[in-house]
Coordinates of all heavy atoms in Angstrom, one line a residue:
P97 N 173.9 -124.9 -37.9 CA 175.1 -125.5 -37.2 C 176.4 -124.8 -37.6 O 177.4 -124.8 -36.9 CB 175.1 -126.9 -37.6 CG 173.7 -127.3 -38.0 CD 173.1 -126.0 -38.6
E98 N 176.4 -124.1 -38.8 CA 177.7 -123.4 -39.2 C 178.1 -122.4 -38.1 O 179.2 -122.2 -37.8 CB 177.4 -122.6 -40.5 CG 177.3 -123.4 -41.7 CD 178.6 -123.8 -42.3 OE1 179.7 -123.3 -41.9 OE2 178.6 -124.7 -43.2
L99 N 177.1 -121.8 -37.4 CA 177.4 -120.8 -36.4 C 177.9 -121.4 -35.1 O 178.5 -120.7 -34.3 CB 176.1 -119.9 -36.1 CG 175.6 -119.1 -37.3 CD1 174.3 -118.5 -37.0 CD2 176.6 -118.1 -37.8
E100 N 177.5 -122.6 -34.9 CA 178.0 -123.4 -33.7 C 179.4 -123.9 -33.8 O 180.1 -124.0 -32.8 CB 177.0 -124.5 -33.5 CG 177.2 -125.3 -32.2 CD 176.2 -126.5 -32.1 OE1 175.2 -126.5 -32.8 OE2 176.6 -127.4 -31.3
Y101 N 179.8 -124.3 -35.0 CA 181.1 -125.0 -35.2 C 182.2 -124.1 -35.6 O 183.4 -124.6 -35.6 CB 180.9 -126.2 -36.1 CG 180.2 -127.3 -35.5 CD1 178.9 -127.4 -35.3 CD2 181.0 -128.3 -34.9 CE1 178.3 -128.4 -34.6 CE2 180.5 -129.4 -34.3 CZ 179.1 -129.4 -34.1 OH 178.5 -130.5 -33.4
T102 N 182.0 -122.9 -36.1 CA 183.1 -122.1 -36.5 C 182.9 -120.6 -36.0 O 181.7 -120.2 -35.9 CB 183.3 -122.0 -38.0 OG1 182.2 -121.4 -38.6 CG2 183.5 -123.4 -38.6
K103 N 183.9 -119.9 -35.8 CA 183.8 -118.5 -35.4 C 183.8 -117.6 -36.6 O 183.5 -116.4 -36.4 CB 185.0 -118.1 -34.5 CG 184.9 -118.9 -33.2 CD 186.0 -118.5 -32.2 CE 185.9 -119.3 -30.9 NZ 186.9 -119.0 -30.0
T104 N 184.1 -118.1 -37.8 CA 184.2 -117.2 -39.0 C 182.9 -117.2 -39.8 O 182.8 -116.4 -40.8 CB 185.3 -117.7 -39.9 OG1 185.2 -119.0 -40.2 CG2 186.7 -117.5 -39.1
A105 N 181.9 -118.1 -39.5 CA 180.7 -118.1 -40.3 C 179.8 -116.9 -40.1 O 179.7 -116.4 -39.0 CB 179.9 -119.4 -40.0
R106 N 179.2 -116.5 -41.2 CA 178.2 -115.4 -41.1 C 177.1 -115.9 -42.1 O 177.3 -116.5 -43.1 CB 178.8 -114.1 -41.6 CG 179.9 -113.6 -40.7 CD 180.3 -112.2 -41.0 NE 180.7 -112.0 -42.4 CZ 180.5 -110.9 -43.1 NH1 180.0 -109.8 -42.5 NH2 180.8 -110.8 -44.3
I107 N 175.9 -115.5 -41.7 CA 174.7 -115.9 -42.6 C 174.0 -114.6 -43.0 O 173.6 -113.8 -42.1 CB 173.8 -116.9 -41.9 CG1 174.5 -118.1 -41.5 CG2 172.6 -117.2 -42.8 CD1 173.7 -119.1 -40.7
E108 N 173.9 -114.4 -44.3 CA 173.2 -113.2 -44.8 C 171.8 -113.7 -45.1 O 171.5 -114.6 -45.8 CB 173.9 -112.8 -46.1 CG 173.3 -111.6 -46.7 CD 174.0 -111.2 -48.0 OE1 175.2 -111.6 -48.2 OE2 173.5 -110.3 -48.7
V109 N 170.8 -113.0 -44.5 CA 169.4 -113.3 -44.6 C 168.8 -112.2 -45.5 O 168.8 -111.0 -45.2 CB 168.7 -113.3 -43.3 CG1 167.2 -113.6 -43.4 CG2 169.4 -114.3 -42.3

Side-chain angles (χ1 to χ4, degrees):
E98 289 279 349
L99 299 172
E100 181 181 344
Y101 280 82
T102 65
K103 294 181 180 181
T104 57
R106 297 187 308 145
I107 300 177
E108 182 178 346
V109 180

